[in-house]
Amino acid sequence: MAEAGDLMSRGALPSPVGTAIAIAHHGELIQGVFKDDDGSLHRGLVTLPIAGLRSEARFDRSDGDAVVVTPDHKVKAAAAARLTLDFLNVTGGGELTLQSAIPVGHGYGSSTADVVASIRAVAAAVDVQLRPSSIGRLAVAAERASDAIAFDDHAVLFAQREGKVIENFGGSLPPLLLVGFKANGGVPVDTLQLPPARYDSAEIQEFGVLRALVARAVRLQDPYLLGRAASASALISQRHLPKQGFNEIAEIARRGGACGVQVAHSGSLFGLIFDLFASNLKRRAALVAQQIRRAGFKDVEVHLVNAEGWSW
Amino acid sequence: MVTLDVDYFRDLETPRLARLAPNLVAAAFPLMKLMPARFILDRAASNGELKAGSHIVETTSGTFGMAVALLAAARDYRLTLVTASTLIDAKYKARLERIGATVIALDDPRGDGNQPGRLERLQEILANEPDGFWTRQYDSPGNWLAYARLAELFIRAMGKVDCLVGCVGTGGSLCGTASFLRTVFPHLTVFAVDTHRSILFGQPVGKRMLRGLGNSVLPKNVRHELVDEIHWVGAYPAYRTAHRLLREHGLFMGPTSGAAALVAHWVATTLPDAQVAVIMPDEGHRHAETVYNDEWLSALPGWPCKEPSEPRTLTTIAPAAETQWTRFLWLRRSLDDVLKTREASDVPPAVGAAENL
Ligand SMILES: Cc1ncc(COP(=O)(O)O)c(C=O)c1O
């Protein structure tokens, strides 16, 4: 039994090392501007997580003040580690090592995954479990705009520049199969160089409708409604960051019986959303993948969302 | 501004949803017009058109006027409603004035609502008021944009919506809800509900008994291309259906809600596999001494009448008696397209009596 004093201090730690992971995403289901309860507007998004790609972080605490990161260009991850130490009132610094399989610049959220894994690793090194909301806030503080990957597969409408949840949908996304690929010849997009999209009133009103669809889709685990929301958000995104071949893809999705088309709103990713439990899914997805390749798109891959061991 | 006020009116503008049949959900509004009124005022306040203490003007004496009056009272705006003596009863005028609105009831020698005279007076007020603001429910995009909230409420409660039924007066509620629902459900079938002798869908202008829906001028917010079917419901079947809403569902709604419910029940029965949503704009209180008063009803010529169980389908647009219910396949055409197929002499005049929306 620990003494009361021990409970309150972080003096004697079991291990000065913490490891953690964070998953990638495939862009967003929806992204836009949303009203909160008092009517003010916030930029927000619902992330589409893919657990198959991840970043791993290891944090070795040290007495020195510095946080040293490897590879050394991952300065946002280092900043996140620093912010987390400060948030937890921990003195000293440490060595942060990142290992990531997530491609950079397409909308997979490689940067946020590094940042979130780093925050979690630092917390683990001081034996603390942070709430997703705190991780999300620290991530935004470290990188200015951040997706909702701190919440893993839990669906939230996240204000990516404020680090707060606008609406918690209260559950996970339904099980999906995603046929993902890259538009615009697979050329990466520099997210931070993009000016924030300016939406007109009709678009802002429509975002409320898309949010309602996601809420219903999560509550009743309905991939069809999720697909409707994603397609509508992708269409709005076309007016702000157009992707070549959008109409062709929408047509392939329609003919292939997909629930919808999804994009990375500040990246080059495209995805066709399928209900994981739809009949003939493997055959249909393979057919769609072939049509997408023939249409000239790059890197066609299959991702599973909340598949719980379902094997492709 | 006190945040609580905003919450109160947001709650008051929020309809209660009622399941009228396994595949039919009604949005029963206490006062639907609060939704566009609040949206238009909020937008004007945030873009600077509407300043603290501004003078709001509008040409209605109907439910939109009531909604703006409540908001103006809570938010300290002055409000002038310009109407015609033929369009407002003493009780409603007194109610609006008690809320703090100035109600100008112009003479109406021709009995057509004197809309030109009302617009002229409204312009005079605006010319003399640097801080004047005209809400323009007929033409302001704010009217239809506001109904994204209704589309949201339907979706959260029903998921996929296949059919939408609603009245048309300014067009804001039906066309707004329909256009937002259709962006996500392109297959949505839209049933517009109007009344005989309203010009909105190509009938010749004339005296109408059922008020609140229909029009004798054409607002910009009516977007004909969204409409698949138009139904014209006479006053009698609208009243009868309002009575049935109360007796069979415990819903105390106004007669335009009755008209919408009549059409919606028919749609839901005809298309049992479709999920149907219907908009019901206001409650019955204002009609307690008329539509819900047996004495008043029994003085109506031909009352009680047999209730039509289905509409009569027209191939040529024409008015019918107040006991009748007719329908026409509009098929998402423009008004011009539909009118082109008719005799030139049948084309209704562009302006006529002013409205009671
Ligand atoms: C009672 C009632 N029903 C229906 C309508 C028609 O609605 P809209 O103007 O949105 O077309 C109105 C409009 O004022 C109304 O007051």
Side-chain angles (χ1 to χ4, degrees):
Chain A
M1 276 290 285
E3 296 290 310
D6 289 351
L7 280 176
M8 302 303 292
S9 78
R10 302 218 171 89
L13 286 165
S15 154
V17 180
T19 58
I21 64 144
I23 60 175
H25 61 69
H26 202 272
E28 301 76 31
L29 285 161
I30 64 173
Q31 177 169 329
V33 162
F34 300 88
K35 276 186 195 159
D36 68 11
D37 281 348
D38 73 12
S40 47
L41 296 172
H42 304 270
R43 289 180 184 277
L45 49 77
V46 178
T47 294
L48 178 57
I50 44 171
L53 287 172
R54 47 182 63 179
S55 170
E56 284 179 42
R58 176 190 164 101
F59 188 70
D60 291 79
R61 287 186 65 194
S62 64
D63 292 335
D65 273 347
V67 170
V68 180
V69 65
T70 320
D72 60 8
H73 64 270
K74 301 212 171 187
V75 290
K76 287 182 200 161
R82 176 84 267 158
L83 286 165
T84 309
L85 290 169
D86 293 348
F87 175 71
L88 295 170
N89 281 322
V90 177
T91 54
E95 274 175 41
L96 178 67
T97 314
L98 287 146
Q99 219 166 20
S100 174
I102 307 171
V104 177
H106 294 284
Y108 287 114
S110 57
S111 164
T112 303
D114 285 344
V115 162
V116 168
S118 302
I119 294 166
R120 287 174 174 162
V122 170
V126 294
D127 212 18
V128 168
Q129 177 107 33
L130 290 174
R131 288 175 298 157
S133 55
S134 304
I135 300 171
R137 216 171 37 246
L138 288 166
V140 170
E143 59 171 353
R144 207 165 86 212
S146 152
D147 54 64
I149 220 63
F151 295 83
D152 292 305
D153 70 339
H154 188 94
V156 294
L157 178 60
F158 186 68
Q160 72 269 28
R161 287 163 192 273
E162 300 165 66
K164 65 178 191 193
V165 172
I166 304 168
E167 179 170 355
N168 188 330
F169 296 115
S172 305
L173 297 171
L176 307 172
L177 181 141
L178 190 72
V179 178
F181 51 97
K182 298 191 184 96
N184 304 341
V187 179
V189 175
D190 185 349
T191 323
L192 284 177
Q193 295 311 309
L194 289 174
R198 302 215 30 96
Y199 301 107
D200 67 26
S201 326
E203 288 171 335
I204 292 171
Q205 291 300 92
E206 188 179 334
F207 286 131
V209 175
L210 306 190
R211 167 184 182 173
L213 277 169
V214 175
R216 174 89 182 183
V218 172
R219 191 154 71 85
L220 295 185
Q221 296 289 286
D222 184 337
Y224 167 80
L225 293 181
L226 207 58
R228 302 306 321 152
S231 292
S233 187
L235 198 59
I236 292 176
S237 173
Q238 271 305 94
R239 304 205 272 267
H240 300 279
L241 181 67
K243 291 181 172 52
Q244 289 157 17
F246 185 86
N247 292 338
E248 193 174 3
I249 290 303
E251 185 53 26
I252 292 173
R254 199 187 56 76
R255 276 189 278 117
C259 298
V261 176
Q262 161 275 335
V263 298
H265 291 65
S266 49
S268 60
L269 294 179
F270 251 129
L272 266 54
I273 297 171
F274 288 88
D275 177 355
L276 190 64
F277 303 127
S279 57
N280 276 331
L281 181 60
K282 289 186 188 182
R283 203 172 55 78
R284 278 165 46 200
L287 198 68
V288 156
Q290 193 184 44
Q291 290 167 352
I292 294 166
R293 268 189 216 103
R294 280 214 199 104
F297 291 92
K298 298 263 188 295
D299 304 334
V300 184
E301 288 168 358
V302 168
H303 303 282
L304 301 180
V305 179
N306 293 337
E308 300 181 324
W310 192 90
S311 69
W312 169 243
Chain B
M1 195 189 302
V2 187
T3 317
L4 262 179
D5 281 345
V6 176
D7 289 342
Y8 174 74
F9 286 108
R10 194 184 53 212
D11 283 358
L12 192 59
E13 80 179 19
T14 303
R16 296 161 180 121
L17 300 185
R19 193 172 283 285
L20 302 183
N23 63 333
L24 174 57
V25 172
F29 281 95
L31 181 56
M32 178 181 77
K33 291 285 170 169
L34 270 169
M35 201 171 260
R38 189 172 72 95
F39 187 87
I40 288 169
L41 295 190
D42 280 352
R43 217 157 78 117
S46 76
N47 69 21
E49 276 181 87
L50 184 62
K51 297 170 193 67
S54 275
H55 189 168
I56 301 171
V57 292
E58 183 55 281
T59 61
T60 177
S61 56
T63 53
F64 187 76
M66 181 59 69
V68 178
L70 294 173
L71 290 164
R75 299 178 179 186
D76 273 340
Y77 298 117
R78 286 170 296 151
L79 171 65
T80 300
L81 298 171
V82 186
T83 183
S85 55
T86 48
L87 290 175
I88 188 160
D89 60 81
K91 268 196 183 150
Y92 208 64
K93 182 164 184 277
R95 237 180 105 188
L96 289 165
E97 285 169 344
R98 187 176 294 282
I99 301 171
T102 303
V103 182
I104 302 176
L106 298 182
D107 281 347
D108 182 16
R110 289 186 310 278
D112 63 0
N114 192 8
Q115 180 73 347
R118 286 155 68 192
L119 287 173
E120 198 179 310
R121 174 59 73 87
L122 187 144
Q123 292 296 354
E124 268 170 38
I125 298 170
L126 285 175
N128 291 323
E129 288 273 354
D131 281 347
F133 175 74
W134 180 13
T135 38
R136 306 182 72 106
Q137 67 154 339
Y138 277 30
D139 305 327
S140 162
N143 184 353
W144 71 267
L145 286 169
Y147 290 94
R149 252 207 97 206
L150 180 55
E152 289 171 34
L153 294 166
F154 277 134
I155 287 172
R156 282 187 191 247
M158 302 171 70
K160 183 160 72 78
V161 181
D162 304 303
C163 298
L164 177 70
V165 183
C167 304
V168 183
T170 64
S173 55
L174 182 70
C175 298
T177 313
S179 76
F180 285 111
L181 285 177
R182 204 173 262 157
T183 56
V184 294
F185 305 126
H187 70 287
L188 180 82
T189 307
V190 176
F191 298 80
V193 180
D194 194 356
T195 194
H196 313 297
R197 288 167 293 281
S198 148
I199 64 131
L200 293 177
F201 290 84
Q203 288 208 16
V205 71
K207 189 168 157 37
R208 287 172 284 135
M209 221 179 136
L210 184 59
R211 307 303 304 206
L213 82 180
N215 214 321
S216 47
V217 296
L218 183 59
K220 276 208 189 75
N221 282 322
V222 178
R223 287 182 288 156
H224 297 88
E225 292 86 348
L226 289 167
V227 174
D228 293 280
E229 262 188 42
I230 169 73
H231 287 242
W232 293 280
V233 177
Y236 290 25
Y239 297 166
R240 292 289 294 255
T241 316
H243 299 160
R244 275 208 294 140
L245 282 174
L246 186 54
R247 292 185 77 111
E248 293 171 15
H249 301 282
L251 291 169
F252 186 46
M253 306 305 294
T256 66
S257 298
L262 177 67
V263 175
H265 266 293
W266 175 79
V267 172
T269 313
T270 315
L271 304 169
D273 296 328
Q275 287 297 320
V276 184
V278 56
I279 307 170
M280 306 207 302
D282 76 347
E283 290 180 338
H285 306 288
R286 202 182 155 191
H287 312 275
E289 283 155 37
T290 53
V291 177
Y292 290 99
N293 174 358
D294 284 337
E295 224 172 293
W296 183 87
L297 287 167
S298 62
L300 297 176
W303 183 270
C305 66
K306 199 173 151 288
E307 205 175 333
S309 60
E310 57 178 25
R312 188 158 52 84
T313 303
L314 303 179
T315 50
T316 310
I317 297 171
E322 292 295 353
T323 53
Q324 301 274 302
W325 167 19
T326 55
R327 99 189 233 266
F328 178 78
L329 299 180
W330 193 267
L331 307 175
R332 304 192 190 181
R333 288 175 286 173
S334 70
L335 182 59
D336 277 351
D337 276 352
V338 173
L339 291 187
K340 245 188 258 159
T341 63
R342 299 177 15 160
E343 301 284 318
S345 59
D346 284 345
V347 178
V351 280
E355 293 318 309
N356 193 31
L357 299 172

